[in-house]
């Protein structure tokens, strides 16, 4: 795509430099912390699945035990590795032993540290190879069946019942949907564990469980094979279990993940250290295994004014990008977010949106930019929403977005009914076909409204980035710089799950992921 | 077992939105000022329609004294769809060649067809799609068939002229199109045609067909036609129906 | 508006020249003809309103009498003028006398020709001055209250009942509609008389009667005064009574008229000489009194393929313009028509529409180009239609159209329900506001798809125009060049109402209108 | 006489589309394959809703085994809108200054309000719009009023915490927001709050209000609240209701 906004490359570089500093700062501040979720993820990677009768996952039982015993600073991997060596049990039996009290993990004799590390590292490498092999197969399937050309349409299902989600997902695929994302039930984010098994009750979404992932994946793969087009599956690495969901996603062959660095802090009131530590591992996993991650700047425009907040969106895109990058996600796997959220009554709102969308596209040429539909100002009138969605779809294609979450006509009322997505996808197909070549055909007047606006927003973003680099990301969040939401380091949920690493902290996963990723999408 | 909530065969169906929940959308304007009273009147109507848990999701003034409402509610009864499926339901259509072959072997002479868009209706695209060589959507019209001898009278044709011409050419079939339906214009016009055909004593020996975007087979039969065709009709659909009907009539009338 | 299509001015001039020749040819061929409708119009201008008990307008009775008596070649004005001189009756009494048989108009003694001409010419001039004065007042009202900025939205009401149309028109005005057009009942076009009085039954529209005009005008004026924005009223000068409707429109203060030269021929199967003679007077009247006329090229795209037929649309715009111009309509009062009718599934259809709409705009810089919405491919799904209408609205504003007929979501189903227009107008307002400055901001790539398409269409139009200039308009219509509909000179309705002018043919109106128009819009 | 067909007062109303014709639009998905059977089942449902002359204007497959239908039909009964209009119907709201003046003279102390978006609901924009200084649509929230002492607990607040805090600060009013309504989550959550307030013996002395895009006053009352507020609510609406209710309670309770 030829650039159209006449941006000052110097400002872009300065933005990147500021973001690098902000990210380096964050990484330094969280480097000595681990979390219960990070530790549970290690166990899951090692192959620990399942839950006890009360639905408490074994990974939770083990990590909680080690936490209670005060040993988590050394890393759960150490204790489990030691347990494996000392008891000669399988990981699952060991965990069940912890669950039923027959094994006191932290009270076992301690074997040679190197031996413990070796056994866990070996297990970890083996599992990673297994996962990588499965993902290579998936990549082959993707290539064999082929995907739609960009923009890929990203569609949420949200029935609460995974088996209904399958029906709804088929309708999505039938009408050209490219990525199905099962959004999660309202309650899940704040659960400090991942529910187990298939679920049929949920509110505003369906629980993300490994079994639910499996059920959806199977159904969508079936559809893909039958219809000769690969449809992707996505979920949400967010809330108190970010890295665990990432691991589950990899295990079940998901292709995409919504995986923002700050969403949990701002919109779920999760403690910021907790989220930043968790996002790092979740992104390392996603990065390594070729999962495309989506950031969530769109949310800011739902709580702050879309015009005023535009520079903060761009600033956040740079930060989110850098944090992901520093966690090991390659640019092609980072889909930075943006949204069409200016009030429909604003004069020249369409021009502003065009400018903003083009700006994201030009600032992140190697990223899969993701564009989100109008929701905030949508009301109970589906035709009004549909008209806004039509212009949203037009900007998507006119600015060459890579992924677009589709807008549904009942956006202002409820999570979509089965036909609402179909009607929405027809709108997408209509606009995307009718305006297929638009991006190549139109130009913006030199020095005109659209160019000027983009240049202004970029300047505003640089100012924010430089100020944030100065005061640090934590302080900036405290000031409500993003989405007009203010959160403080000492507040928020899940802080009790943060643990300082001891000097002998051991985490075989981070090390293993440090190598070159095996799979790229 | 089907773990989704879709009902099993025989259970009867109801609307499905998020799951087997009966949810329907209803919208209308009331001649009442935009007000709480308008919304409650809307809910009252939804209630009378048998909708439970109805709610108004949108209301706006249309002009002074009128309010547009959008409601959702649940239709909780179930309808037995199996009893609705009948045998003659979805006809299997012959293609162009099959129709010609069928007519050659079973009728042995061209079927004479008189067609028009009748009354004050100037919409000719539908009837032309059925009859003219050019046809519709890549399918030739009846003029291209060996099976038919076609007289397309065009549009804005009074029923009296249709009937007179049908008599003049000895039509086997009269096929008419109706597009304007406001204030039930098509009903009046189609009813008039049936009455005229009957008055002329032609009804038994003439296949009578109508079509148009808002004609259904049910409506057509109710009005006294042999069949009705709506959107999505291709010329071979009409052709199949005509040759089948004419062949059947010859079969049942010849022994008599 | 700066031109964007890089059109070859030479081709444009050649198109105009060919159209001039075509029009001159037509004028020559019809110059010796008058029609019953033209003659009735003269009586109406002279002030003859009303009908007998069976609803037969007095104008019809008188003209039919003269026709039967074989005197129409001299012009009804002569016989009536003579009657007035001979009987000393008022025009109305005279006509009633003809109706009840008490006056034998063509059997009266014949007065001095000059005296007859004088009395009628005086009457005619007086009435024209009266009408002009009324229209000046209207122009003042329009200026005092002000109108919306262009594009003006043109909205049809079609209930069949003029009193319901009033209610529907108020809703239109409330939601920003700028021009209300009461479309006519299906049967009216082929009636060789104008029905009388208010009407409450009609199919697909409401009869155009002078009383109905009055009722609507009063209601809309009331709304305009109450709300401080002038709303226009429009109707249809078409069918077998084109010039009479024009006269009635002027008398009742209508602002706009759909008034195409060829529509009646192609779509109502009216004889071509009849229509061409009738259109000439109707347009002379509209031109003189400042009424804006709309041509109807949009219709071609409903019976012929919109992409293939594009050059014929442009050719027809030139012809229609020239015929109007040669009948005395100034360019600012000619709104040449075009429509958004490419099938929604056509790849790059939006770019084609953009190109076509911009082309019309650039070819007729002094005209009020009128843009018509998608109808042909609209189906029973209102959301699909609404999405198409959204892009239609966008092109309207992006190409600077002057008038846009709005598309309603139920276009593919029925004439709009009261709220359908409201929903449609909200779409128009949304797009028009959000993209207000779009036309100034976007440019088309030099030598790109949009420019090339426009240039091709223009070339195609020139070829058609040159061929039509060669063979004449009548032959061209016979070949189905417009809308794929073929009509022949000898066929069609209303031919019985064509009369050859005698050498002493007298028409005071045409002469009076020959002067400089008094009112311009 | 009104020459349009709009019914006169007292006649009762029905939907108005082109005229007084009763026409309504209905749409839903059926768990039936796209077929004539699906369309006829749709018509059967329309019939059971009391719609006459129903027709299917659009049908399309949603996915294998599911069909989306759009129908029109006439609801011919009339509803007596006059009997629906009641006195307490459209409240006259005081503005900010009026509320403060009213509270000063009639209550004489700040009304203590505890507010939250409750349960697992993270949507805080609605409750913040009512309570925060910034307010909504250019109108300050209750924090800006002298009449109120506001405790906004934020979002995702368990009902138990709302009640505990209300007791702790001696709240006159509890005002909660609910946005997520899928599978009737809001109903469960609001019902739970009412039960807790009652269990704590606070119901009589506490004004209980809920709000949200899909809360209606009727629904709120049904669930045991004193009032419910929906879209379009401004802070002064809530403020008016709160000071009026508190003043009325003091008035009725003080003589006792
Ligand atoms: C083209 C068109 C016109 C053209 C017609 C040109 C012509 N020569 O036909 C023109 C511009 C002249 C026109 C005029 C009018 N139109 Co018109 N027009 C349309 C339009 C855009 C498309 C119709 C069409 O051609 N469809 C394509 C054909 C192929 O589809 P079809 O007719 O449904 O045919 C298919 C089937 O129904 C079936 N079929 C049809 N007939 C038959 C017959 C038989 C025997 C069989 C077996 C099958 C069959 O097979 C066909 C192929 O599958 C529609 C809007 C729309 N999208 O539907 C409005 C529409 C039909 N028009 C409408 C109206 C009101 C008018 C006018 C009356 C307006 C006015 N008052 O001036 C006028 C005048 C008409 C009159 N006296 O009849 C309304 C009708 C509303 C209603 N339900 O009552 C519509 C729906 C637009 C609207 N929303 O207002 N129109
Ligand atoms: C902003 C928003 C979010 C933000 C919320 C940020 C925040 N801090 O509030 C974020 C992005 C975090 C979010 C998340 C989710 N959201 Co959300 N969200 C919205 C959105 C776009 C706007 C809501 C809004 O702010 N409206 C503006 C305010 C001012 O309006 P209001 O709340 O109606 O308030 C007014 C009145 O109702 C009233 N009022 C409201 N409360 C009260 C209280 C009192 C006491 C009174 C008197 C009056 C009153 O006064 C206000 C002013 O007039 C809507 C879509 C839409 N257009 O409605 C979806 C929407 C509400 N979200 C929805 C969903 C499903 C979710 C999720 C559950 C999705 C998921 N599974 O992850 C999540 C998570 C949530 C959870 N646990 O609750 C659905 C709800 C569907 C339903 N009916 O059940 C919607 C409708 C979108 C959709 N179509 O799917 N969301
Ligand atoms: C960036 C981001 N993360 C996560 C979510 C959903 O998160 P959760 O399931 O944690 O509520 C959303 C929902 O919109 C989101 O935008
Ligand atoms: C150019 C033109 N003239 C006239 C009409 C309506 O004409 P009538 O009332 O003569 O049917 C139309 C309707 O669409 C039109 O497009």
């Amino acid at each position: 795509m030829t650039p159209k906004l006449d941006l000052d490359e110097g400002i872009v570089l300065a933005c990147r430099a500021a973001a690098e500093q902000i990210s380096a700062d964050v990484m330094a501040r969280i480097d000595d912390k681990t979390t219960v979720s990070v530790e549970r993820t290690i166990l899951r990677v090692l192959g620990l699945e399942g839950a006890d009768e009360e639905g408490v996952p074994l990974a939770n039982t083990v990590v909680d035990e080690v936490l209670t015993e005060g040993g988590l600073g050394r890393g759960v991997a150490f204790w489990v590795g030691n347990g494996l060596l000392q008891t000669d049990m399988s990981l699952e039996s060991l965990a069940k032993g912890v669950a039923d009290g027959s094994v006191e993990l932290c009270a076992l004799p301690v074997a040679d540290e190197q031996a413990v590390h070796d056994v866990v590292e070996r297990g970890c490498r083996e599992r990673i190879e297994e996962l990588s092999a499965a993902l290579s197969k998936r990549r082959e399937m993707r290539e064999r069946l082929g995907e739609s050309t960009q923009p890929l349409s990203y569609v949420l299902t949200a029935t609460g019942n995974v088996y209904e989600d399958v029906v709804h997902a088929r309708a999505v695929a039938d009408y050209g949907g490219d990525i199905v994302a099962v959004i999660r039930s309202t309650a899940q984010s704040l659960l400090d564990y991942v529910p187990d098994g298939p679920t049929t009750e949920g509110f505003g979404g369906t629980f993300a469980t490994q079994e639910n992932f499996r059920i959806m994946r199977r159904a969508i793969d079936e559809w893909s094979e039958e219809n000769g087009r690969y449809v992707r599956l996505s979920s949400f690495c967010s809330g108190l279990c970010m890295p665990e969901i990432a691991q589950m996603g990899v295990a079940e062959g998901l292709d995409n993940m919504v995986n923002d660095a700050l969403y949990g802090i701002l919109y779920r009131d999760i403690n910021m250290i907790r989220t930043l530590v968790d996002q790092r591992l979740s992104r390392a996993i996603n990065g390594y295994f070729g999962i495309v991650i989506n950031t969530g700047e769109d949310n800011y425009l739902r709580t702050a004014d879309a015009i005023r907040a535009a520079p903060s969106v761009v600033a956040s895109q740079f930060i989110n990008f850098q944090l992901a990058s520093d966690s090991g996600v390659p640019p092609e796997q980072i889909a930075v977010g943006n949204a069409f959220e200016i009030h429909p009554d604003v004069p020249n709102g369409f021009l502003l949106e065009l400018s903003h969308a083009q700006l994201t596209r030009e600032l992140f040429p190697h990223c899969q930019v993701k564009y989100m539909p109008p929701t905030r100002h949508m009301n109970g009138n589906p035709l009004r929403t549909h008209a806004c969605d039509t212009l949203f779809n037009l900007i998507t294609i006119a600015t060459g977005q890579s992924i677009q979450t589709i807008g549904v006509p009942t956006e202002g009322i409820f999570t979509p009914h089965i036909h609402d997505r179909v009607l929405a996808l027809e709108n997408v197909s209509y606009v995307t076909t009718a305006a297929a070549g638009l991006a190549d055909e139109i130009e913006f007047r030199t020095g005109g409204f659209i160019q000027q606006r983009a240049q202004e927003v970029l300047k505003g973003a640089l100012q924010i980035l430089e100020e944030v680099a100065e005061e640090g990301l934590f302080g900036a969040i405290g000031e409500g710089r993003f989405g007009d939401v203010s959160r403080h380091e000492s507040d928020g949920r899940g802080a009790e799950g943060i643990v300082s690493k001891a000097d002998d902290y051991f985490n075989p996963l981070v090390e293993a992921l440090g190598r070159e990723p095996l799979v790229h999408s | 077992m089907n773990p989704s909530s879709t009902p099993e065969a025989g259970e009867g169906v109801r609307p499905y939105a998020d799951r087997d929940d009966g949810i329907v959308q209803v919208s209308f304007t009331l001649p009442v000022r935009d007000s709480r009273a308008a919304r409650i009147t809307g809910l009252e109507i939804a209630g009378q329609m048998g909708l439970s848990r109805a709610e108004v999701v949108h209301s706006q003034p249309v002009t002074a004294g009128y309010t547009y409402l959008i409601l959702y509610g649940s239709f909780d009864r179930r309808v037995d769809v199996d009893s609705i499926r009948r045998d003659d339901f979805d006809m299997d259509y012959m293609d162009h060649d099959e129709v010609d072959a069928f007519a050659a072997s079973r009728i042995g002479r061209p079927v004479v067809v008189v067609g028009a868009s009748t009354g004050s209706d100037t919409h000719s695209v539908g009837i032309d799609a059925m009859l003219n060589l050019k046809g519709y959507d890549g399918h030739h019209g009846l003029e291209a068939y060996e099976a038919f001898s076609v007289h397309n009278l065009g549009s804005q044709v009074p029923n009296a002229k249709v009937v007179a011409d049908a008599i003049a050419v000895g039509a086997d079939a009269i096929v008419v199109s109706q597009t304007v339906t406001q204030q039930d214009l098509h009903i009046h016009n189609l009813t008039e045609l049936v009455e005229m055909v009957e008055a002329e004593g032609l009804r038994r020996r003439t296949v009578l067909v109508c079509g148009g975007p808002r004609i259904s087979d049910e409506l057509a039969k109710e009005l006294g036609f042999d069949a009705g065709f709506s959107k999505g009709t291709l010329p071979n659909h009409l052709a199949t129906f005509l040759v089948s009907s004419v062949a059947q009539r010859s079969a049942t009338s010849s022994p008599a």
Side-chain angles (χ1 to χ4, degrees), chain A, chain B:
Chain A
M1 150 162 303
T2 29
K4 300 180 174 177
L5 294 174
D6 201 13
L7 301 177
D8 181 337
E9 191 57 26
I11 301 188
V12 179
L13 292 176
C15 284
R16 248 179 245 148
E20 280 164 20
Q21 190 191 323
I22 293 165
S23 174
D25 236 55
V26 168
M27 294 302 173
R29 295 214 26 205
I30 62 173
D31 215 36
D32 64 339
K33 300 280 190 295
T34 184
T35 72
V36 287
S37 179
V38 164
E39 299 301 315
R40 294 192 300 254
T41 305
I42 299 168
L43 297 182
R44 287 184 181 267
V45 168
L46 289 171
L48 187 62
E49 290 184 12
D52 66 18
E53 284 110 66
E54 270 131 56
V56 180
L58 292 172
N60 280 64
T61 309
V62 175
V63 168
D64 289 350
E65 165 83 4
V66 176
L67 180 66
T68 312
E69 295 303 315
L72 207 56
R74 198 163 184 179
V76 76
F78 175 79
W79 299 108
V80 164
N82 186 55
L84 292 174
L85 281 185
Q86 300 293 357
T87 64
D88 222 30
M89 293 165 89
S90 71
L91 177 58
E92 191 180 342
S93 318
L94 188 73
K96 285 191 170 151
V98 174
D100 67 19
S102 63
V103 174
E104 289 188 59
L105 203 59
C106 297
L108 294 173
V110 170
D112 169 56
E113 188 168 20
Q114 195 53 49
V116 171
H117 286 199
D118 283 351
V119 67
V120 184
E121 279 166 1
R122 193 172 349 103
C124 200
R125 265 200 312 277
E126 279 169 20
R127 276 285 290 167
I128 288 180
E129 270 156 37
E130 264 172 60
L131 291 171
S132 296
L135 289 178
S136 293
K137 277 212 192 135
R138 179 152 298 281
R139 196 183 37 180
E140 277 159 30
M141 177 181 177
R142 207 145 66 199
E143 279 161 13
R144 174 169 53 81
L145 296 174
E147 295 190 72
S148 305
T149 52
Q150 290 188 347
L152 299 183
S153 56
Y154 189 102
V155 189
L156 302 176
T157 72
T159 67
N161 175 336
V162 64
Y163 301 107
E164 297 305 339
D165 283 325
V166 164
V167 178
H168 288 234
R170 278 206 209 104
V172 167
D174 283 346
Y175 278 86
D178 297 307
I179 310 175
V180 173
V182 183
I183 197 162
R184 310 192 304 176
S185 177
T186 55
Q188 181 160 11
S189 253
L190 300 186
L191 299 180
D192 212 338
Y193 64 92
V194 182
D196 195 64
T199 66
T200 56
E201 280 299 322
F203 304 98
T206 309
F207 285 96
T209 72
Q210 193 151 356
E211 184 57 28
N212 286 352
F213 282 3
R214 229 170 260 151
I215 291 166
M216 285 300 291
R217 182 75 272 180
R218 202 182 308 126
I220 289 175
D221 280 352
E222 253 173 42
W223 189 98
S224 297
E225 290 289 357
E226 276 165 31
N227 294 274
R229 177 170 63 86
Y230 185 82
V231 173
R232 290 174 173 248
L233 181 59
S234 178
S235 182
F236 296 79
C237 290
S238 65
L240 290 172
C241 301
M242 294 177 92
E244 289 172 275
I245 302 272
Q247 184 280 331
M248 282 166 38
V250 169
E252 301 309 329
L254 271 69
D255 309 279
N256 292 51
M257 279 288 176
V258 176
N259 191 13
D260 189 270
L262 309 179
Y263 174 82
I265 304 170
L266 299 172
Y267 294 103
R268 288 310 202 139
D269 196 11
I270 295 175
N271 175 275
M272 48 178 101
I273 304 281
R274 171 70 186 260
T275 281
L276 286 164
V277 174
D278 285 350
Q279 66 89 26
R280 185 186 202 175
L281 178 60
S282 68
R283 286 165 149 197
I285 295 172
N286 287 327
Y288 186 91
F289 290 104
I291 310 296
V292 174
I293 67 164
N294 308 140
T295 68
E297 280 79 8
D298 50 288
N299 292 295
Y300 305 167
L301 305 182
R302 303 201 170 116
T303 50
D305 177 74
I307 298 177
R308 197 175 43 73
S312 74
V313 164
V314 173
S316 171
Q317 290 171 335
F318 277 106
I319 297 172
N320 237 320
F321 173 88
Q322 200 55 50
L323 287 169
S325 201
D326 291 349
S327 307
V329 193
E332 320 78 76
Q333 277 170 237
I334 305 174
V336 291
N338 189 13
F340 179 102
E341 279 288 21
I342 294 172
H343 194 288
D345 292 348
V346 170
N348 281 325
F350 178 78
L351 303 192
L352 293 168
E353 296 285 14
L354 202 53
S355 178
H356 296 176
Q358 181 73 21
L359 179 61
T360 307
R361 177 65 289 177
E362 294 193 11
L363 291 177
F364 300 93
H366 305 298
C367 291
Q368 305 209 20
V369 290
K370 180 171 182 225
Y371 200 35
M372 305 285 292
T375 162
R376 180 178 186 179
H377 304 294
M378 300 303 98
N379 65 10
N381 179 351
L383 284 169
R384 176 173 176 277
T385 301
H386 207 61
C388 295
D389 285 337
T390 308
L391 294 194
F392 161 72
N393 292 337
L394 192 74
I395 291 190
T396 302
I397 187 86
T399 60
Q401 304 290 316
S402 324
I403 304 177
Q404 79 172 135
T405 296
I406 68 162
V408 294
T410 48
E411 181 62 39
I413 314 175
F414 38 55
T415 54
H417 292 165
I418 191 162
H419 44 260
D420 291 327
R421 292 185 203 85
V422 164
L423 296 162
L425 281 162
E426 289 189 310
N427 189 334
V428 170
S429 304
Y430 164 52
V431 175
T432 308
T433 306
L438 190 62
D440 289 339
E441 287 299 322
I442 54 165
E443 290 163 1
F444 305 142
R445 183 162 62 83
T446 310
F449 183 83
I450 295 172
Q451 284 196 351
Q452 279 185 30
R453 170 66 185 170
Q455 291 159 6
E456 259 166 38
V457 171
L458 180 60
K459 268 188 221 138
L462 177 59
Q463 192 182 331
I464 295 174
L465 284 164
E466 284 175 341
E467 286 167 21
V468 175
E470 189 81 4
E471 64 187 329
L473 184 60
F474 295 14
I477 293 173
E479 278 173 16
R481 284 203 179 253
F482 303 106
D484 285 357
V485 180
S486 154
R487 303 289 187 197
H488 300 282
E489 194 177 338
S490 51
D491 298 340
R493 306 171 198 236
E496 64 287 356
I498 307 169
V499 173
S500 288
K501 295 177 187 168
D503 290 342
D504 52 4
Y505 176 71
F506 173 55
N507 184 335
L509 182 58
V510 163
E511 218 170 297
L513 297 179
R515 291 177 325 178
E516 274 300 287
L518 300 179
V519 186
H520 267 177
S521 81
Chain B
M1 198 210 70
N2 174 359
S4 93
S5 63
T6 309
E8 302 291 310
E11 241 190 275
V13 299
R14 62 175 173 175
Y16 174 111
D18 226 18
R19 48 181 71 191
D20 176 32
D21 45 26
I23 295 177
V24 306
Q25 192 207 63
V26 180
S27 55
F28 49 81
T29 289
L30 285 179
V32 177
R33 180 176 67 80
D34 186 30
S35 58
R36 191 158 162 189
R39 289 185 286 281
I40 297 189
T41 306
L43 289 171
E44 173 65 30
I45 289 177
Q48 292 196 19
M49 286 181 172
L51 302 182
S52 65
R53 286 167 294 136
E55 52 175 325
V56 174
V57 298
H58 181 69
S59 83
Q60 71 180 85
V62 170
T63 185
Y66 295 80
T67 305
Y68 177 59
L69 299 166
I70 304 178
L71 301 94
Y72 282 85
S74 286
F75 181 82
D76 293 323
R77 272 178 272 174
R78 289 180 184 280
V79 173
D80 182 4
V81 60
D82 296 312
S83 77
I84 281 172
R85 287 196 192 94
R86 286 192 320 260
D87 277 354
D88 66 336
F89 231 43
D90 292 285
M91 197 168 188
D92 282 328
Y93 295 116
M94 298 184 243
D95 67 19
H96 185 155
D97 290 340
E98 288 165 353
V99 165
D100 280 347
F102 177 93
S105 80
R106 300 279 297 275
I107 308 176
R109 59 169 181 83
V111 172
V112 180
V113 180
V114 164
S117 170
T118 57
S120 59
D121 205 319
T122 196
H123 294 89
S124 57
V125 181
I127 190 73
D128 289 348
M130 292 300 112
L131 302 183
N132 289 7
L133 196 65
K134 187 178 159 197
Y136 188 61
D137 213 10
H139 301 251
H140 287 304
L142 268 52
E143 283 179 5
Y145 288 63
E146 279 168 23
F148 301 104
S149 159
V150 175
H151 302 263
N152 183 351
L153 310 182
S155 63
Q156 306 186 113
V157 184
N159 283 319
K161 176 161 168 60
V162 173
V163 174
D165 281 25
I167 295 173
V169 301
D172 297 296
I174 297 177
V175 303
V176 296
S177 181
Q178 284 285 278
T179 301
V180 181
T181 61
Q182 209 211 16
Q183 310 301 340
D184 289 338
L185 182 57
H186 60 313
I187 310 273
H188 303 141
N189 202 30
L190 292 172
T191 306
E192 188 189 75
L193 178 64
V194 171
E195 282 165 3
M196 284 183 172
V197 169
E198 276 167 0
E200 294 290 341
L202 302 173
R203 187 66 191 89
R204 265 176 58 115
R205 69 161 204 261
T206 318
V207 183
L208 216 54
V209 172
C210 60
R214 292 179 73 198
I215 305 285
S216 66
D217 192 43
E218 291 75 41
L219 175 68
K221 284 176 173 143
E222 213 179 294
L223 298 178
F225 285 76
D226 294 311
F229 290 84
S230 190
K231 286 201 171 164
T233 306
L234 296 175
N236 69 302
H237 302 176
L238 173 60
T240 301
F241 183 80
L242 292 180
V243 294
S244 313
S245 303
V246 171
Q248 203 180 327
R249 284 184 196 218
S250 332
T252 52
S253 60
S254 42

